[in-house]
Amino acid sequence: MREIQASTITAAVARLAEEANYEISPDVLVALTRAHDVEKSSLGREMLEMIIENVHQAMSHRKPLCQDCGVAVVFIDVGQEVHITGGDLETAVADGVGKGYIEGYLRKSMVAGPVTDRVNTGDNTPPVIHYRVVPGDKVNISLMAKGSGAENMSRLYMLKPAEGRGGVIEAAVRAVEEAGGKPCPPLIIGIGIGGTAEAAMLLAKRSLLRKVGKPSPDADAAALEREILGKVNRLGIGPLGLGGSVTALAVHIESMPCHIASLPVAVNLQCHSARHKEAVL
Amino acid sequence: MNEWRRIRLPMPAETIAELKAGDRVLLSGTIYAARDAAHKRFIEALDSGDSLPIDLSTAVIYYMGPSPARPGQIIGSCGPTTSARMDKYTPRLVEEGLRVMVGKGERSPQVAEAIKQHGAVYLITIGGAGALLSLRVKSAEVIAYPDLGAEAVFKLEVEHFPAVVAIDAQGSDQFKIGQARYRIK
């Protein structure tokens, strides 16, 4: 049994929170640059120029890419040969989020008593944590800083199985169309298909961790990704909704089996500021 | 065509009237950051006959809640938040004199109607570009509702702050115009 100190996890999460907010990964920058090259609207290209310039300014001035430093969504794969010592895992992760958001001058956006009180918790906790127990003796942590402009446009469609492939495409395109310019396009569109209502939502969010534009290893899913991307980019929404030919940078689909009576389709939109970092302990 | 027009704030009425959907502008002068919770208090103040912390007739309201400034910095990142969340409050504020708003994303038909009826203007700036926009802010101070933290009302002095006219005083909407233009049936 390999032992990992809770304090090691706290330190790693704190570092991920800061890094995720200050730097986007190279694949996102490549996708944005390519979007600028193909965008037909001159206004859209000007917006993309400033979005790309923002990436450089954030790094050089040590400022978060976006003032909405998001909900810390943490995906943890815990090897079953690992023993966490010196504290519990959930507290260790939450402590890391608090430390990272305070020390990194990141905006604290979490409010408790969501319906009425809405009192800021002060350190951006609690994080939303998704655990998986996996073989091995490692702990893999991915932290996503998920801004609410895009998250508010999440959709779940419980389709009838008869709606099939066409229904899935229609649902995805409708979600993007309804969102318009609000979620800061160009978007990365995460789609979860199958499972149950909550499983589909989680698949959609997990798909956003994939490198931007890397197709699904499943040929059918990859074809569906291409088709939805083509349709979405014909909507004309464009950068920030002002009109243009690039509404989305990529479509990512994750799927799993589902009940004979069901066809859940979840759509989770990611703004152009796609912020997530990973660590393996 | 693609010139960025420099505008000194407060924005003169004739300038508001001249601006057309899709125009690029660079704002210099005072703007006030206020978002969801501050808007709720504005309306509560108006309902109870209290005065607002800002003069609506000359104010530019920016829908924004900044990230904290590092020591030595004027402000943290400060890009726009989704304007549609303020839609419930906006027609009232426009009726009370507000003429210039800055945010991101589409507005409700009620807001568009209020803008047209009162000759106001809705601008958008670059969502997700909070670090870049912060460099156009020359000073920042909280002037009301400090208990709201990032949602407090901030007075910002900006220089060459970039924005695009999204809904002009005639009611033309760049979201509709631009999206229709690039939509492929």
Side-chain angles (χ1 to χ4, degrees):
Chain A
M1 199 62 129
R2 181 171 166 240
E3 290 197 347
I4 296 180
Q5 287 284 329
S7 59
T8 306
I9 289 171
T10 298
V13 169
R15 179 172 57 79
L16 293 176
E18 291 198 42
E19 284 180 0
N21 272 287
Y22 291 114
E23 306 160 20
I24 59 172
S25 14
D27 52 302
V28 184
L29 190 53
V30 167
L32 286 169
T33 307
R34 195 174 159 272
H36 176 263
D37 293 343
V38 301
E39 175 55 60
K40 292 194 176 77
S41 154
S42 60
L43 185 52
R45 282 197 304 278
E46 285 175 59
M47 296 298 111
L48 284 163
E49 275 163 28
M50 285 195 264
I51 285 168
I52 292 165
E53 177 63 14
N54 183 63
V55 172
H56 302 299
Q57 296 296 355
M59 290 231 266
S60 61
H61 291 272
R62 297 274 291 145
K63 283 186 167 176
L65 290 146
C66 178
Q67 75 289 339
D68 181 357
C69 301
V71 176
V73 182
V74 188
F75 299 86
I76 306 182
D77 291 352
V78 188
Q80 62 185 26
E81 312 296 329
V82 173
H83 179 210
I84 310 288
T85 58
D88 71 278
L89 180 56
E90 188 141 337
T91 307
V93 172
D95 286 352
V97 167
K99 184 173 155 60
Y101 273 74
I102 290 169
E103 292 178 0
Y105 296 90
L106 304 176
R107 199 181 81 186
K108 276 66 79 175
S109 307
M110 298 297 282
V111 290
V115 181
T116 48
D117 298 346
R118 297 187 71 83
V119 177
N120 199 296
T121 63
D123 59 1
N124 218 48
T125 63
V128 172
I129 309 176
H130 302 294
Y131 298 101
R132 278 193 303 213
V133 178
V134 297
D137 64 354
K138 301 271 196 297
V139 174
N140 187 305
I141 306 173
S142 286
L143 185 145
M144 177 188 285
K146 190 68 166 70
S148 256
E151 186 71 4
N152 282 346
M153 302 297 140
S154 305
R155 291 289 183 271
L156 173 68
Y157 303 94
M158 299 304 282
L159 301 183
K160 295 178 184 71
E163 292 180 81
R165 195 172 187 273
V168 173
I169 295 171
E170 197 185 312
V173 173
R174 192 193 317 158
V176 176
E177 189 167 24
E178 285 172 1
K182 297 184 188 83
C184 291
L187 307 168
I188 298 150
I189 301 166
I191 301 175
I193 305 174
T196 49
E198 88 282 9
M201 291 301 290
L202 186 50
L203 286 170
K205 185 149 284 168
R206 273 193 193 278
S207 80
L208 299 174
L209 295 173
R210 198 195 295 167
K211 275 201 190 316
V212 175
K214 187 181 173 202
S216 166
D218 176 85
D220 288 341
L224 194 53
E225 288 172 350
R226 281 196 302 277
E227 191 168 343
I228 292 171
L229 182 62
K231 282 200 157 49
V232 161
N233 282 337
R234 287 195 283 280
L235 288 172
I237 293 168
L240 302 174
L242 294 170
S245 47
V246 185
T247 299
L249 303 173
V251 175
H252 294 173
I253 294 176
E254 298 285 331
S255 66
M256 68 178 288
C258 64
H259 189 281
I260 46 173
S262 281
L263 178 49
V265 178
V267 182
N268 195 231
L269 300 182
Q270 172 62 58
C271 62
H272 62 77
S273 199
R275 299 158 293 173
H276 53 87
K277 291 283 171 184
E278 183 187 35
V280 182
L281 302 177
Chain B
M1 187 70 188
N2 295 354
E3 295 279 301
W4 288 76
R5 175 174 172 168
R6 293 177 181 207
I7 296 173
R8 166 68 43 193
L9 302 173
M11 201 182 292
E14 53 271 29
T15 305
I16 295 176
E18 282 165 15
L19 291 174
K20 296 276 174 264
D23 284 357
R24 292 91 159 141
V25 297
L26 294 171
L27 307 177
S28 296
T30 305
I31 64 177
Y32 295 93
R35 43 174 293 156
D36 309 57
H39 271 71
K40 188 160 178 261
R41 289 199 190 175
F42 287 166
I43 299 297
E44 285 164 1
L46 288 170
D47 284 345
S48 54
D50 293 338
S51 61
L52 297 189
I54 59 176
D55 176 4
L56 285 178
S57 66
T58 54
V60 173
I61 292 187
Y62 178 30
Y63 306 132
M64 188 279 290
S67 67
R70 277 180 191 280
Q73 288 181 345
I74 293 164
I75 194 168
S77 284
C78 58
T81 197
T82 311
S83 307
R85 289 199 318 274
M86 268 45 78
D87 282 356
K88 188 181 161 202
Y89 311 112
T90 298
R92 175 78 185 276
L93 295 180
V94 173
E95 279 162 27
E96 300 278 346
L98 178 65
R99 292 293 174 266
V100 188
M101 295 153 271
V102 186
K104 71 166 164 109
E106 294 88 338
R107 308 302 302 264
S108 69
Q110 292 79 7
V111 171
E113 182 53 38
I115 286 171
K116 192 176 170 185
Q117 194 183 336
H118 295 276
V121 66
Y122 167 55
L123 312 171
I124 70 151
T125 185
I126 302 98
L132 173 73
L133 293 170
S134 75
L135 303 176
R136 310 293 174 94
V137 177
K138 300 304 158 192
S139 73
E141 61 170 320
V142 173
I143 58 149
Y145 318 146
D147 58 300
L148 295 179
E151 290 203 83
V153 177
F154 290 77
K155 182 183 182 186
L156 308 176
E157 295 299 325
V158 299
E159 199 174 289
H160 300 151
F161 190 88
V164 176
V165 179
I167 304 177
D168 67 28
Q170 286 72 46
S172 292
D173 184 330
Q174 177 59 30
F175 293 108
K176 292 198 174 105
I177 298 165
Q179 293 182 17
R181 184 170 171 196
Y182 291 95
R183 190 178 177 109
I184 301 166
K185 297 274 182 201

